[in-house]
Amino acid sequence: MRSHRRLRLLAPFLLLPLIAGCFSSGGGSDSGSDDGDGSRLRVALAFPPAENLSPYGADATLLSRLGVTEGLTSLDANGSAAPALAASWQQKNSTTWTFTLREATFQDGTEVTPAAVADSLAHAVAAEPAPAALSGVGLTAKAGGDRTVTITTDEPDPVLPLRLSSPSLAILSAKAYRKSDKADPVGTATGPFEITKVNGTTSAALDRFDDYWGGRAQASGIDARFIADGTARANALRTGELDIAEAVPVSQAATLDKGTRRDTATTRTTSLLLNASSGPLKDAGLRATARAAIDTSVFAKDVYEGYGDAGAGIYGPAVTWAEGKRQKPVGRVTAEKADGQTITLATYDNRPELPEVAQVVKEQLEKAGFTVKLTVREYSRLESDALDGKFDAFVLARNTLLDTGDPVSILASDYTCDGDFNIAQLCDKDVDQAVAKAEQVTDTDKRRDAAMAAEARVLGTDAVVPLVHQRIITGVADGVQGVVLDPYERTLVGTGTRR
């Protein structure tokens, strides 16, 4: 397996300041205004900076969610690539694309030029470890005339515009790279809000960037707090200390007035991953037994208190095109009788529902004849062991379109022999062939068909049991408008967000 490791699940949300109206907003439009100075927004995020605000790892989502960074492209409501810093693009051949830049300015006052964009992408390519969106991808960017950037990939990459929407490929000015050991997004990005102060892992202050190409933000700035405790976030919203609280736990939803909570179907799926390479569940028959033991209906109804949908596959109902394309799992074997085999089940408590999910899974597996030892830790203390295959089973909440927006990419990273996020330790030649075939398809609709065929192969191994498709709850105070509710978890604050 690839050695590149990162705290991928501490990156639950992505933000690119998207074109107006792409997603549902909590009142008002997401368009800028020159009227007045506006009030500052008080926002609580669930995850603190984990990598000193590096755009190449988990913190890319914090930066984008706060409206600091953006890339050449974004995702629209249908999951297709949409313009961001690039106003348009054209594929020249199977490995070469030309992107035409819009007129834009970096937060340090310098112009967004083809040379600056090419240099920024070159730093992302050279980053160690590589950004997840570039996993297995060789890419070269070259400045051209007429505000164009030519990007060439080592191998054909039909989803390059989708890939470039990743916040980990945010475009920064030359000033960001003065320190060779990191990219510094403070004052060097292009989004509608500019970081002015960072207080470690507790808070950050941002001011409106008045020269933002997408229009002047209606809020004058953002006072962001990083509050890991979901109950504390809900309490702060309820007592008037916050305007926006992300990821309100389902256990706290009822404590908020109905008018202050928004729930949105997301592309995040909570799954049970079963170790297919070592331990008792290396036996496909026992994995089939474990899968058959799980009653997925209880998770959406009970654990998530209705803020979820029963697991239907790797892609949930928020991936609207998947429903009519879903195929029956291929290659499942006959279940064997469990006879007290001891398995280690692990999950993390950064998402407060997961320990409860794991407890229900434990009880269901024990009822089927397994002996289960449960481990719960904070995610950063768990990921390395999970990727090393030290657990027999793992409960994971994963945004299926997180890194690139491409449905095939998560299959390649999570379920192939060379996948760099293969917690299930799955290495199956039929799965690899199906994923490889899907990766070669360029037509959008046919690529989705191929992704669903590959999903059927993955589900047929019983290395993954989808449990629930999560609905995210966002707390929005009375009077706050324009909060962007995004099923891809890539947006929160836009130019039209205000109070």
Side-chain angles (χ1 to χ4, degrees), residues 347-467:
T347 195
Y348 47 101
D349 54 11
N350 300 79
R351 293 186 174 276
E353 296 84 12
L354 294 188
E356 185 176 353
V357 170
Q359 183 61 42
V360 174
V361 168
K362 178 178 183 291
E363 293 170 0
Q364 293 183 349
L365 291 176
E366 289 176 337
K367 187 176 180 180
F370 292 99
T371 299
V372 183
K373 295 181 178 179
L374 177 60
T375 295
V376 178
R377 301 180 201 157
E378 195 274 328
Y379 185 79
S380 65
R381 298 177 52 243
L382 200 68
E383 185 187 68
S384 179
D385 285 347
L387 289 168
D388 287 338
K390 293 185 178 180
F391 305 114
D392 298 310
F394 194 90
V395 173
L396 176 79
R398 179 86 157 109
N399 190 316
T400 57
L401 299 180
L402 178 67
D403 295 328
T404 66
D406 172 35
V408 180
S409 295
I410 190 170
L411 301 180
S413 67
D414 289 24
Y415 303 110
T416 63
C417 296
D418 290 332
D420 67 352
F421 201 67
N422 191 347
I423 290 177
Q425 312 296 310
L426 181 63
C427 188
D428 181 282
K429 63 180 180 61
D430 292 329
V431 168
D432 277 23
Q433 288 173 359
V435 172
K437 180 179 179 180
E439 288 178 319
Q440 302 306 311
V441 179
T442 58
D443 177 80
T444 298
D445 200 53
K446 292 180 179 178
R447 188 178 181 90
R448 289 170 174 174
D449 287 338
M452 298 308 290
E455 181 203 48
R457 281 287 181 186
V458 172
L459 294 176
T461 68
D462 286 329
V464 54
V465 182
L467 303 176

Side-chain angles (χ1 to χ4, degrees), residues 52 227 233 240 330 389 430 456:
N52 296 316
I227 305 175
R233 289 195 302 277
V330 177
D430 292 329

